[in-house]
Amino acid sequence: MKIDKSKLEAMSALSDEELWNQIRQIAGEKGIRMPEKSPGKDELSKVRAALSDADKLSLPGAMRMINNLKRGDK
């Protein structure tokens, strides 16, 4: 799977609300239900950090992050 770094950069530049809406939309397209309520700034900062380091993104790491966001884990 090829990762489009320019799309990741664009996503990381979005406001917290816009970023969360994008995450929910992408997850929904894959059949994953995410809470409507946006996680806190700390959690979204972790998402932005992952988006900015696309070379280190992994499927297991992404799934772990998704599961934590779904549960509201910190």
Side-chain angles (χ1 to χ4, degrees), residues 6-74:
S6 63
K7 284 186 182 181
L8 295 180
E9 288 174 13
M11 281 183 68
S12 67
L14 296 172
S15 71
D16 287 353
E17 183 180 339
E18 292 170 323
L19 176 59
W20 185 243
N21 287 335
Q22 281 285 323
I23 291 169
R24 289 186 68 236
Q25 179 183 354
I26 293 166
E29 290 170 2
K30 303 299 180 191
I32 300 169
R33 299 189 83 191
M34 300 297 285
E36 285 188 41
K37 185 177 186 273
S38 175
K41 289 198 175 289
D42 290 342
E43 287 304 305
L44 289 175
S45 291
K46 291 177 187 177
V47 171
R48 283 193 173 87
L51 292 174
S52 68
D53 199 0
D55 293 330
K56 292 186 179 178
L57 280 177
S58 69
L59 185 56
M63 289 306 299
R64 207 171 17 260
M65 185 173 284
I66 287 169
N67 287 329
N68 289 342
L69 290 170
K70 283 173 62 173
R71 288 191 306 261
D73 290 353
K74 300 286 181 211

